[in-house]
Every structure is written in C-alpha cells, then in structure tokens.
C-alpha cells in the first residue's frame, strides 16, 4: 500500500494509526502542504485526490480518499484487530465520536480555511489563532461531557481497546497542543490521549517520527 501523507496532517495521522494498528506495512509518500504553494495542488496529485487534500491511500491500484472512508475500508478488508465494536449501538457510539472530531471540529481549522480567513477575510494572526482554539475548545467541551456522561470510556474512548474514535481523537489533541489550547477543562480527553500515545501503533504514527518531519 502507498500512503500520500504530510507529517502534520491530522487526517493522514488517523490513517497512519489505523495501518499500524492493523500491522499493515505501507510506503510513505510525502505531500508537502506548504512547499511551492502546496504540493497537494499539483495536477499529478489531483488526479488521485480531486479535493487536493491528504491523505490518499493506494491499495493495489485502488485509490482511496477521505480518512474515515479509508479506515472503514481497512476495517472491511483486514477485520482483525477490529477498530469498531461488535454491536450496532456501540459502533454508532464510536462513529459519533469520530465524526464529531472529523466533521465538526477539524474542517473549520483546515489549512485552506485558515488561508481564506487571512488572505480573503483579512483577519490577523491573532484572530486566526483565536478562531482555531475556539473550535477545538467548544468541540472538546462537548466531547468531554459526552465521554463522561456516556460511561463507555475506559482507558480509551470505548473501553480499553483502540477504535476509530481514538484514531480521530489523538491527532486532534496533537493539533490542540500545538496551538496552545488549554487542555485542563478536558481531563478525560487528555487522559485517553496520553494512554493511547503509550501504544506502539499510535507512537509510530506521531508527526515527529514521520519521514518528512521537520
Ligand atoms: N475530510 C478529509 C480531510 C482531509 C484534509 O483536510 N486534509 C488536510 C490536512 S489534515 C489537507 O490536506 N489540507 C490541505 C489544504 O487545506 O490545502 C479527510 O478526512 O481525509
């Protein structure tokens, strides 16, 4: 398998964790999101990923985009170890956490959104960073409440076994920490993330240890 990735991309980070959890070896193909105006916009890359974002996974000629769709594909093609629980209700719980992170928080802070805010709307760096922190903080507040109220969390979001929820949570916490979000109001999120990062599959997916890390 070939993974088009950028070390700091949280959507790529999700797929790296999933590949590691499933013990699937892959070739890492870096796509630098800032160099030359962004290598994701190069015509050769856009033929693979029409939305000009990372990640893209190529499995034996099959081109896959959208990190959640990629993880679900890996789950279906390599069911063990499972990244989704066994009952429909528990799967819905795990997916709801994953989608809250991937659909409600992450898109608002994507590079192209931040660029638009700065270049077109004309906000300064301070306002842009406040925007970034706002959407993470409000999303994490809701998620913290959910995790505590629901009671299915253990060492991880669903008991003690890594799932799609943790795969989405850890990269989002990485971004939060990078942008100095105060994590003290979210002790459950922080605890889960700290535990996940002790697991080899998560540690090997960390941005700082990727081949294109700067
Ligand atoms: N929903 C997409 C999001 C992909 C995405 O936004 N990737 C970011 C990096 S985390 C990207 O490539 N951004 C490029 C840009 O904003 O120009 C997924 O989960 O794969």
């Amino acid at each position: 398998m070939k993974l088009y990735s950028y070390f700091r991309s949280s959507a790529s980070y999700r797929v790296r964790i999933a590949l590691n959890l499933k013990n699937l070896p892959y070739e890492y193909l870096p796509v630098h999101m800032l160099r030359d105006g962004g290598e994701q916009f190069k015509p050769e890359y856009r033929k693979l990923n029409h939305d000009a974002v990372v990640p893209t996974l190529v499995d034996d000629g099959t081109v896959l985009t959208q990190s959640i769709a990629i993880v679900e594909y890996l789950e279906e093609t390599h069911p063990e170890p499972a990244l989704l629980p066994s009952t429909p209700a528990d799967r819905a719980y795990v997916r709801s956490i994953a989608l809250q992170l991937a659909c409600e928080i992450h898109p608002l802070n994507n590079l192209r959104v931040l660029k638009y805010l700065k270049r077109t709307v004309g906000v300064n760096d301070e306002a842009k960073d406040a925007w970034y922190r706002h959407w993470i903080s409000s999303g994490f507040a809701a998620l913290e409440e959910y995790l505590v109220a629901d009671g299915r969390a253990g060492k991880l979001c669903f008991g003690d076994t890594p799932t799609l929820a943790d795969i989405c949570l850890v990269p989002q916490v990485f971004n939060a920490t990078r942008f100095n979000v105060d994590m003290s109001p979210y002790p459950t999120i922080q605890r889960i993330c700290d535990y996940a990062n002790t697991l080899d599959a998560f540690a090997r997916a960390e941005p700082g240890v990727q081949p294109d890390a700067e």
Side-chain angles (χ1 to χ4, degrees), residues 6 8-15 31 33 37-38 40-41 45 49 51-56 65-70 102-103 106-107 109-115 175:
Y6 178 59
R8 265 199 206 117
S9 150
S10 45
S12 305
Y13 193 173
R14 293 173 199 150
V15 176
V31 178
M33 286 178 29
Q40 68 273 32
F41 300 114
Y45 183 69
N49 190 313
D51 207 19
V53 291
V54 285
T56 301
T65 59
Q66 284 292 340
S67 61
I68 302 282
I70 296 172
C103 302
H106 176 265
N109 289 343
N110 203 354
L111 181 62
R112 58 191 174 188
V113 171
L114 302 179
K115 273 192 201 159
N175 285 351

mmCIF file of all heavy atoms in Angstrom, residues 6 8-15 31 33 37-38 40-41 45 49 51-56 65-70 102-103 106-107 109-115 175, ligand 1:
data_model
loop_
_atom_site.group_PDB
_atom_site.id
_atom_site.type_symbol
_atom_site.label_atom_id
_atom_site.label_comp_id
_atom_site.label_asym_id
_atom_site.label_seq_id
_atom_site.Cartn_x
_atom_site.Cartn_y
_atom_site.Cartn_z
ATOM 1 N N TYR A 6 1.152 13.935 4.867
ATOM 2 C CA TYR A 6 2.001 15.052 5.316
ATOM 3 C C TYR A 6 2.136 14.855 6.816
ATOM 4 O O TYR A 6 1.132 14.565 7.491
ATOM 5 C CB TYR A 6 1.330 16.383 4.977
ATOM 6 C CG TYR A 6 2.086 17.614 5.427
ATOM 7 C CD1 TYR A 6 3.381 17.849 4.986
ATOM 8 C CD2 TYR A 6 1.500 18.552 6.272
ATOM 9 C CE1 TYR A 6 4.080 18.989 5.388
ATOM 10 C CE2 TYR A 6 2.180 19.698 6.669
ATOM 11 C CZ TYR A 6 3.471 19.909 6.225
ATOM 12 O OH TYR A 6 4.150 21.033 6.621
ATOM 13 N N ARG A 8 2.305 16.558 9.471
ATOM 14 C CA ARG A 8 1.451 17.274 10.427
ATOM 15 C C ARG A 8 -0.036 17.151 10.132
ATOM 16 O O ARG A 8 -0.851 17.668 10.892
ATOM 17 C CB ARG A 8 1.808 18.762 10.390
ATOM 18 C CG ARG A 8 2.797 19.130 11.438
ATOM 19 C CD ARG A 8 2.748 20.627 11.669
ATOM 20 N NE ARG A 8 4.023 21.047 12.172
ATOM 21 C CZ ARG A 8 4.854 21.884 11.546
ATOM 22 N NH1 ARG A 8 4.512 22.412 10.394
ATOM 23 N NH2 ARG A 8 5.999 22.200 12.075
ATOM 24 N N SER A 9 -0.385 16.527 9.036
ATOM 25 C CA SER A 9 -1.807 16.412 8.676
ATOM 26 C C SER A 9 -2.522 15.453 9.625
ATOM 27 O O SER A 9 -2.150 14.275 9.738
ATOM 28 C CB SER A 9 -1.927 15.907 7.242
ATOM 29 O OG SER A 9 -3.112 15.159 7.088
ATOM 30 N N SER A 10 -3.552 15.950 10.289
ATOM 31 C CA SER A 10 -4.227 15.076 11.250
ATOM 32 C C SER A 10 -5.060 14.006 10.557
ATOM 33 O O SER A 10 -5.230 12.909 11.092
ATOM 34 C CB SER A 10 -5.054 15.880 12.251
ATOM 35 O OG SER A 10 -5.782 16.853 11.613
ATOM 36 N N ALA A 11 -5.561 14.309 9.368
ATOM 37 C CA ALA A 11 -6.321 13.275 8.647
ATOM 38 C C ALA A 11 -5.377 12.154 8.205
ATOM 39 O O ALA A 11 -5.738 10.968 8.253
ATOM 40 C CB ALA A 11 -7.047 13.892 7.459
ATOM 41 N N SER A 12 -4.153 12.501 7.804
ATOM 42 C CA SER A 12 -3.158 11.464 7.460
ATOM 43 C C SER A 12 -2.758 10.679 8.704
ATOM 44 O O SER A 12 -2.574 9.448 8.655
ATOM 45 C CB SER A 12 -1.891 12.101 6.871
ATOM 46 O OG SER A 12 -2.188 12.920 5.785
ATOM 47 N N TYR A 13 -2.617 11.380 9.803
ATOM 48 C CA TYR A 13 -2.242 10.780 11.097
ATOM 49 C C TYR A 13 -3.256 9.684 11.465
ATOM 50 O O TYR A 13 -2.895 8.597 11.914
ATOM 51 C CB TYR A 13 -2.233 11.932 12.107
ATOM 52 C CG TYR A 13 -1.625 11.775 13.477
ATOM 53 C CD1 TYR A 13 -1.519 12.904 14.306
ATOM 54 C CD2 TYR A 13 -1.155 10.572 13.974
ATOM 55 C CE1 TYR A 13 -0.980 12.833 15.583
ATOM 56 C CE2 TYR A 13 -0.619 10.490 15.253
ATOM 57 C CZ TYR A 13 -0.542 11.618 16.057
ATOM 58 O OH TYR A 13 -0.014 11.547 17.316
ATOM 59 N N ARG A 14 -4.544 9.947 11.213
ATOM 60 C CA ARG A 14 -5.578 8.927 11.508
ATOM 61 C C ARG A 14 -5.290 7.637 10.744
ATOM 62 O O ARG A 14 -5.348 6.545 11.311
ATOM 63 C CB ARG A 14 -6.960 9.427 11.048
ATOM 64 C CG ARG A 14 -7.497 10.602 11.809
ATOM 65 C CD ARG A 14 -8.794 11.107 11.138
ATOM 66 N NE ARG A 14 -9.100 12.465 11.557
ATOM 67 C CZ ARG A 14 -9.748 13.367 10.825
ATOM 68 N NH1 ARG A 14 -10.201 13.046 9.621
ATOM 69 N NH2 ARG A 14 -9.972 14.574 11.282
ATOM 70 N N VAL A 15 -5.001 7.785 9.458
ATOM 71 C CA VAL A 15 -4.785 6.585 8.630
ATOM 72 C C VAL A 15 -3.496 5.883 9.036
ATOM 73 O O VAL A 15 -3.443 4.645 9.068
ATOM 74 C CB VAL A 15 -4.786 6.971 7.126
ATOM 75 C CG1 VAL A 15 -4.459 5.761 6.263
ATOM 76 C CG2 VAL A 15 -6.145 7.543 6.737
ATOM 77 N N VAL A 31 3.589 14.533 0.807
ATOM 78 C CA VAL A 31 2.989 15.620 0.017
ATOM 79 C C VAL A 31 3.146 16.863 0.899
ATOM 80 O O VAL A 31 2.475 16.978 1.929
ATOM 81 C CB VAL A 31 1.490 15.351 -0.259
ATOM 82 C CG1 VAL A 31 0.862 16.502 -1.046
ATOM 83 C CG2 VAL A 31 1.300 14.029 -0.997
ATOM 84 N N MET A 33 2.516 20.277 2.210
ATOM 85 C CA MET A 33 1.346 21.149 2.068
ATOM 86 C C MET A 33 1.675 22.630 1.948
ATOM 87 O O MET A 33 0.785 23.434 1.636
ATOM 88 C CB MET A 33 0.380 20.901 3.222
ATOM 89 C CG MET A 33 -0.334 19.579 3.003
ATOM 90 S SD MET A 33 -1.469 19.078 4.280
ATOM 91 C CE MET A 33 -1.994 20.581 4.906
ATOM 92 N N GLY A 37 3.678 26.458 -2.828
ATOM 93 C CA GLY A 37 2.247 26.788 -2.796
ATOM 94 C C GLY A 37 1.378 25.598 -2.423
ATOM 95 O O GLY A 37 0.144 25.694 -2.431
ATOM 96 N N GLY A 38 2.011 24.468 -2.111
ATOM 97 C CA GLY A 38 1.246 23.281 -1.691
ATOM 98 C C GLY A 38 1.294 22.185 -2.754
ATOM 99 O O GLY A 38 0.712 22.344 -3.831
ATOM 100 N N GLN A 40 -0.161 19.502 -2.724
ATOM 101 C CA GLN A 40 -1.481 18.870 -2.890
ATOM 102 C C GLN A 40 -2.233 19.416 -4.115
ATOM 103 O O GLN A 40 -3.186 18.809 -4.571
ATOM 104 C CB GLN A 40 -2.334 19.030 -1.602
ATOM 105 C CG GLN A 40 -2.795 20.415 -1.259
ATOM 106 C CD GLN A 40 -1.783 21.207 -0.429
ATOM 107 O OE1 GLN A 40 -0.588 21.025 -0.560
ATOM 108 N NE2 GLN A 40 -2.268 22.117 0.414
ATOM 109 N N PHE A 41 -1.772 20.588 -4.596
ATOM 110 C CA PHE A 41 -2.455 21.190 -5.754
ATOM 111 C C PHE A 41 -1.832 20.783 -7.086
ATOM 112 O O PHE A 41 -2.313 21.165 -8.140
ATOM 113 C CB PHE A 41 -2.433 22.723 -5.633
ATOM 114 C CG PHE A 41 -3.138 23.210 -4.380
ATOM 115 C CD1 PHE A 41 -2.437 23.837 -3.363
ATOM 116 C CD2 PHE A 41 -4.499 23.014 -4.218
ATOM 117 C CE1 PHE A 41 -3.076 24.271 -2.208
ATOM 118 C CE2 PHE A 41 -5.152 23.437 -3.062
ATOM 119 C CZ PHE A 41 -4.435 24.067 -2.059
ATOM 120 N N TYR A 45 -1.050 14.979 -8.437
ATOM 121 C CA TYR A 45 -1.684 14.560 -7.177
ATOM 122 C C TYR A 45 -3.204 14.707 -7.275
ATOM 123 O O TYR A 45 -3.950 13.847 -6.791
ATOM 124 C CB TYR A 45 -1.121 15.338 -5.980
ATOM 125 C CG TYR A 45 -1.727 14.846 -4.677
ATOM 126 C CD1 TYR A 45 -1.424 13.580 -4.187
ATOM 127 C CD2 TYR A 45 -2.664 15.613 -3.983
ATOM 128 C CE1 TYR A 45 -2.017 13.082 -3.025
ATOM 129 C CE2 TYR A 45 -3.256 15.132 -2.819
ATOM 130 C CZ TYR A 45 -2.927 13.865 -2.350
ATOM 131 O OH TYR A 45 -3.534 13.383 -1.210
ATOM 132 N N ASN A 49 -6.455 12.668 -5.902
ATOM 133 C CA ASN A 49 -7.320 13.248 -4.869
ATOM 134 C C ASN A 49 -7.880 14.566 -5.399
ATOM 135 O O ASN A 49 -7.216 15.599 -5.363
ATOM 136 C CB ASN A 49 -6.505 13.468 -3.583
ATOM 137 C CG ASN A 49 -7.380 13.835 -2.405
ATOM 138 O OD1 ASN A 49 -8.250 14.690 -2.533
ATOM 139 N ND2 ASN A 49 -7.170 13.208 -1.269
ATOM 140 N N ASP A 51 -9.987 16.573 -4.393
ATOM 141 C CA ASP A 51 -10.229 17.642 -3.425
ATOM 142 C C ASP A 51 -8.913 18.307 -2.985
ATOM 143 O O ASP A 51 -8.932 19.240 -2.185
ATOM 144 C CB ASP A 51 -10.959 17.038 -2.207
ATOM 145 C CG ASP A 51 -11.804 18.054 -1.478
ATOM 146 O OD1 ASP A 51 -12.122 19.101 -2.067
ATOM 147 O OD2 ASP A 51 -12.118 17.813 -0.300
ATOM 148 N N ALA A 52 -7.780 17.809 -3.494
ATOM 149 C CA ALA A 52 -6.459 18.374 -3.172
ATOM 150 C C ALA A 52 -6.176 18.392 -1.669
ATOM 151 O O ALA A 52 -5.754 19.404 -1.116
ATOM 152 C CB ALA A 52 -6.311 19.772 -3.772
ATOM 153 N N VAL A 53 -6.431 17.265 -1.032
ATOM 154 C CA VAL A 53 -6.106 17.125 0.399
ATOM 155 C C VAL A 53 -5.400 15.784 0.612
ATOM 156 O O VAL A 53 -5.484 14.873 -0.221
ATOM 157 C CB VAL A 53 -7.369 17.200 1.303
ATOM 158 C CG1 VAL A 53 -7.960 18.594 1.302
ATOM 159 C CG2 VAL A 53 -8.417 16.164 0.903
ATOM 160 N N VAL A 54 -4.676 15.677 1.719
ATOM 161 C CA VAL A 54 -4.141 14.381 2.139
ATOM 162 C C VAL A 54 -5.021 13.890 3.295
ATOM 163 O O VAL A 54 -5.623 14.706 3.997
ATOM 164 C CB VAL A 54 -2.656 14.477 2.580
ATOM 165 C CG1 VAL A 54 -1.751 14.612 1.389
ATOM 166 C CG2 VAL A 54 -2.424 15.576 3.594
ATOM 167 N N PRO A 55 -5.121 12.576 3.484
ATOM 168 C CA PRO A 55 -4.372 11.501 2.840
ATOM 169 C C PRO A 55 -5.049 10.952 1.593
ATOM 170 O O PRO A 55 -6.242 11.161 1.367
ATOM 171 C CB PRO A 55 -4.396 10.427 3.926
ATOM 172 C CG PRO A 55 -5.775 10.580 4.527
ATOM 173 C CD PRO A 55 -6.023 12.060 4.531
ATOM 174 N N THR A 56 -4.224 10.190 0.823
ATOM 175 C CA THR A 56 -4.744 9.294 -0.199
ATOM 176 C C THR A 56 -4.034 7.966 0.014
ATOM 177 O O THR A 56 -2.819 7.949 0.231
ATOM 178 C CB THR A 56 -4.427 9.824 -1.619
ATOM 179 O OG1 THR A 56 -5.013 11.116 -1.781
ATOM 180 C CG2 THR A 56 -4.952 8.892 -2.694
ATOM 181 N N THR A 65 -9.744 7.880 -0.886
ATOM 182 C CA THR A 65 -9.604 9.198 -0.263
ATOM 183 C C THR A 65 -10.582 9.296 0.912
ATOM 184 O O THR A 65 -11.430 8.422 1.091
ATOM 185 C CB THR A 65 -9.907 10.332 -1.279
ATOM 186 O OG1 THR A 65 -11.231 10.159 -1.770
ATOM 187 C CG2 THR A 65 -8.926 10.308 -2.433
ATOM 188 N N GLN A 66 -10.445 10.349 1.681
ATOM 189 C CA GLN A 66 -11.230 10.613 2.893
ATOM 190 C C GLN A 66 -10.821 9.630 3.996
ATOM 191 O O GLN A 66 -11.118 8.415 3.931
ATOM 192 C CB GLN A 66 -12.747 10.553 2.651
ATOM 193 C CG GLN A 66 -13.287 11.781 1.932
ATOM 194 C CD GLN A 66 -13.221 13.057 2.760
ATOM 195 O OE1 GLN A 66 -13.125 13.028 3.987
ATOM 196 N NE2 GLN A 66 -13.258 14.195 2.095
ATOM 197 N N SER A 67 -10.174 10.165 5.031
ATOM 198 C CA SER A 67 -9.575 9.303 6.057
ATOM 199 C C SER A 67 -10.562 8.322 6.700
ATOM 200 O O SER A 67 -10.224 7.155 6.939
ATOM 201 C CB SER A 67 -8.899 10.154 7.127
ATOM 202 O OG SER A 67 -9.825 10.995 7.766
ATOM 203 N N ILE A 68 -11.778 8.767 6.967
ATOM 204 C CA ILE A 68 -12.727 7.854 7.633
ATOM 205 C C ILE A 68 -13.111 6.716 6.672
ATOM 206 O O ILE A 68 -13.186 5.549 7.073
ATOM 207 C CB ILE A 68 -14.005 8.610 8.086
ATOM 208 C CG1 ILE A 68 -13.654 9.770 9.029
ATOM 209 C CG2 ILE A 68 -15.009 7.653 8.735
ATOM 210 C CD1 ILE A 68 -13.334 9.417 10.432
ATOM 211 N N ALA A 69 -13.316 7.073 5.403
ATOM 212 C CA ALA A 69 -13.632 6.037 4.404
ATOM 213 C C ALA A 69 -12.463 5.071 4.262
ATOM 214 O O ALA A 69 -12.661 3.853 4.113
ATOM 215 C CB ALA A 69 -13.965 6.687 3.066
ATOM 216 N N ILE A 70 -11.245 5.596 4.359
ATOM 217 C CA ILE A 70 -10.056 4.738 4.247
ATOM 218 C C ILE A 70 -9.990 3.773 5.436
ATOM 219 O O ILE A 70 -9.755 2.572 5.279
ATOM 220 C CB ILE A 70 -8.762 5.586 4.146
ATOM 221 C CG1 ILE A 70 -8.761 6.414 2.854
ATOM 222 C CG2 ILE A 70 -7.528 4.696 4.212
ATOM 223 C CD1 ILE A 70 -7.629 7.431 2.749
ATOM 224 N N ALA A 102 -14.023 14.627 13.263
ATOM 225 C CA ALA A 102 -13.652 14.766 11.853
ATOM 226 C C ALA A 102 -14.561 15.706 11.069
ATOM 227 O O ALA A 102 -14.132 16.270 10.059
ATOM 228 C CB ALA A 102 -13.649 13.385 11.197
ATOM 229 N N CYS A 103 -15.798 15.876 11.514
ATOM 230 C CA CYS A 103 -16.745 16.700 10.738
ATOM 231 C C CYS A 103 -17.087 18.027 11.413
ATOM 232 O O CYS A 103 -17.407 18.989 10.725
ATOM 233 C CB CYS A 103 -18.044 15.952 10.486
ATOM 234 S SG CYS A 103 -17.822 14.415 9.626
ATOM 235 N N HIS A 106 -12.503 19.427 12.956
ATOM 236 C CA HIS A 106 -11.358 19.500 12.039
ATOM 237 C C HIS A 106 -11.553 20.397 10.811
ATOM 238 O O HIS A 106 -10.679 21.214 10.506
ATOM 239 C CB HIS A 106 -10.944 18.074 11.638
ATOM 240 C CG HIS A 106 -9.848 18.040 10.625
ATOM 241 N ND1 HIS A 106 -10.083 17.939 9.279
ATOM 242 C CD2 HIS A 106 -8.507 18.144 10.762
ATOM 243 C CE1 HIS A 106 -8.935 17.955 8.629
ATOM 244 N NE2 HIS A 106 -7.963 18.069 9.502
ATOM 245 N N PRO A 107 -12.684 20.312 10.088
ATOM 246 C CA PRO A 107 -12.779 21.107 8.843
ATOM 247 C C PRO A 107 -12.686 22.612 9.070
ATOM 248 O O PRO A 107 -12.209 23.342 8.205
ATOM 249 C CB PRO A 107 -14.168 20.731 8.288
ATOM 250 C CG PRO A 107 -14.512 19.444 8.940
ATOM 251 C CD PRO A 107 -13.874 19.474 10.296
ATOM 252 N N ASN A 109 -10.747 24.124 10.938
ATOM 253 C CA ASN A 109 -9.365 24.537 11.189
ATOM 254 C C ASN A 109 -8.401 24.051 10.118
ATOM 255 O O ASN A 109 -7.191 24.085 10.309
ATOM 256 C CB ASN A 109 -8.916 24.032 12.567
ATOM 257 C CG ASN A 109 -9.604 24.805 13.682
ATOM 258 O OD1 ASN A 109 -10.148 25.877 13.455
ATOM 259 N ND2 ASN A 109 -9.595 24.253 14.874
ATOM 260 N N ASN A 110 -8.953 23.610 8.999
ATOM 261 C CA ASN A 110 -8.097 23.127 7.928
ATOM 262 C C ASN A 110 -7.280 24.285 7.343
ATOM 263 O O ASN A 110 -7.687 25.445 7.403
ATOM 264 C CB ASN A 110 -8.982 22.503 6.843
ATOM 265 C CG ASN A 110 -8.213 21.515 6.006
ATOM 266 O OD1 ASN A 110 -6.996 21.372 6.146
ATOM 267 N ND2 ASN A 110 -8.910 20.836 5.126
ATOM 268 N N LEU A 111 -6.139 23.926 6.766
ATOM 269 C CA LEU A 111 -5.228 24.938 6.226
ATOM 270 C C LEU A 111 -5.934 25.888 5.249
ATOM 271 O O LEU A 111 -5.763 27.104 5.304
ATOM 272 C CB LEU A 111 -4.050 24.223 5.535
ATOM 273 C CG LEU A 111 -2.980 25.105 4.917
ATOM 274 C CD1 LEU A 111 -2.293 25.968 5.970
ATOM 275 C CD2 LEU A 111 -1.945 24.237 4.185
ATOM 276 N N ARG A 112 -6.750 25.335 4.349
ATOM 277 C CA ARG A 112 -7.379 26.200 3.342
ATOM 278 C C ARG A 112 -8.375 27.170 3.965
ATOM 279 O O ARG A 112 -8.556 28.287 3.485
ATOM 280 C CB ARG A 112 -8.027 25.374 2.231
ATOM 281 C CG ARG A 112 -9.071 24.384 2.664
ATOM 282 C CD ARG A 112 -9.409 23.474 1.495
ATOM 283 N NE ARG A 112 -10.311 22.396 1.897
ATOM 284 C CZ ARG A 112 -10.636 21.383 1.115
ATOM 285 N NH1 ARG A 112 -10.152 21.289 -0.096
ATOM 286 N NH2 ARG A 112 -11.458 20.453 1.536
ATOM 287 N N VAL A 113 -8.994 26.768 5.078
ATOM 288 C CA VAL A 113 -9.918 27.665 5.788
ATOM 289 C C VAL A 113 -9.116 28.789 6.458
ATOM 290 O O VAL A 113 -9.485 29.968 6.383
ATOM 291 C CB VAL A 113 -10.740 26.873 6.831
ATOM 292 C CG1 VAL A 113 -11.549 27.796 7.720
ATOM 293 C CG2 VAL A 113 -11.641 25.874 6.130
ATOM 294 N N LEU A 114 -8.001 28.416 7.069
ATOM 295 C CA LEU A 114 -7.160 29.422 7.739
ATOM 296 C C LEU A 114 -6.582 30.403 6.729
ATOM 297 O O LEU A 114 -6.527 31.614 6.967
ATOM 298 C CB LEU A 114 -6.039 28.734 8.536
ATOM 299 C CG LEU A 114 -6.499 27.736 9.608
ATOM 300 C CD1 LEU A 114 -5.312 27.112 10.307
ATOM 301 C CD2 LEU A 114 -7.431 28.385 10.635
ATOM 302 N N LYS A 115 -6.185 29.872 5.561
ATOM 303 C CA LYS A 115 -5.645 30.743 4.498
ATOM 304 C C LYS A 115 -6.719 31.718 4.030
ATOM 305 O O LYS A 115 -6.467 32.890 3.790
ATOM 306 C CB LYS A 115 -5.225 29.880 3.298
ATOM 307 C CG LYS A 115 -3.830 29.333 3.355
ATOM 308 C CD LYS A 115 -3.543 28.770 1.948
ATOM 309 C CE LYS A 115 -2.437 27.762 1.935
ATOM 310 N NZ LYS A 115 -2.511 26.897 0.741
ATOM 311 N N ASN A 175 -3.073 18.576 17.513
ATOM 312 C CA ASN A 175 -3.273 19.931 16.963
ATOM 313 C C ASN A 175 -3.554 20.932 18.078
ATOM 314 O O ASN A 175 -3.042 22.058 18.063
ATOM 315 C CB ASN A 175 -4.475 19.959 16.007
ATOM 316 C CG ASN A 175 -4.155 19.306 14.689
ATOM 317 O OD1 ASN A 175 -3.014 18.987 14.411
ATOM 318 N ND2 ASN A 175 -5.180 19.090 13.884
HETATM 319 N N1 LIG B 1 -12.126 15.044 5.459
HETATM 320 C C1 LIG B 1 -10.826 14.846 4.901
HETATM 321 C C2 LIG B 1 -9.931 15.985 5.326
HETATM 322 C C3 LIG B 1 -8.633 15.980 4.603
HETATM 323 C C4 LIG B 1 -7.887 17.254 4.883
HETATM 324 O O1 LIG B 1 -8.490 18.298 5.079
HETATM 325 N N2 LIG B 1 -6.570 17.179 4.884
HETATM 326 C C5 LIG B 1 -5.802 18.375 5.162
HETATM 327 C C6 LIG B 1 -4.648 18.043 6.065
HETATM 328 S S1 LIG B 1 -5.208 17.454 7.624
HETATM 329 C C7 LIG B 1 -5.278 18.938 3.857
HETATM 330 O O2 LIG B 1 -4.786 18.208 3.033
HETATM 331 N N3 LIG B 1 -5.377 20.262 3.686
HETATM 332 C C8 LIG B 1 -4.865 20.893 2.521
HETATM 333 C C9 LIG B 1 -5.329 22.322 2.412
HETATM 334 O O3 LIG B 1 -6.059 22.784 3.278
HETATM 335 O O4 LIG B 1 -4.930 22.941 1.411
HETATM 336 C C10 LIG B 1 -10.258 13.510 5.380
HETATM 337 O O5 LIG B 1 -10.632 13.091 6.466
HETATM 338 O O6 LIG B 1 -9.457 12.880 4.664
#
